Amino acid sequence: MLKENEYIKRTDIEKNLSISSSTAIKLLRNMVENSIIEKLGKGKNVIYRLK
């Protein structure tokens, strides 16, 4: 998804992968910790992009 779009939101991950909010959060957190993506913004305005 990130190769097709510059940015994604948690809700995009949930819809495209058909996963729960908590699973999406865990997945995104893991990807941030492994320096695959970076988190920009806070709260409801958080977006993610490739590093």
Side-chain angles (χ1 to χ4, degrees):
M1 281 185 286
L2 278 168
K3 290 183 180 181
E4 299 164 359
N5 303 303
E6 189 174 347
Y7 300 100
I8 58 167
K9 292 187 171 195
R10 178 186 44 81
T11 53
D12 298 328
I13 297 290
E14 293 172 21
K15 291 176 188 173
N16 286 310
L17 299 180
S18 299
I19 58 176
S20 69
S21 175
S22 59
T23 302
I25 290 168
K26 289 176 189 175
L27 176 67
L28 290 165
R29 185 181 305 134
N30 185 287
M31 292 175 74
V32 169
E33 289 172 356
N34 288 302
S35 298
I36 297 168
I37 60 174
E38 62 183 331
K39 180 179 177 180
L40 305 169
K42 292 187 178 188
K44 291 186 177 185
N45 296 320
V46 171
I47 58 173
Y48 298 90
R49 71 176 180 187
L50 286 173
K51 276 198 152 190

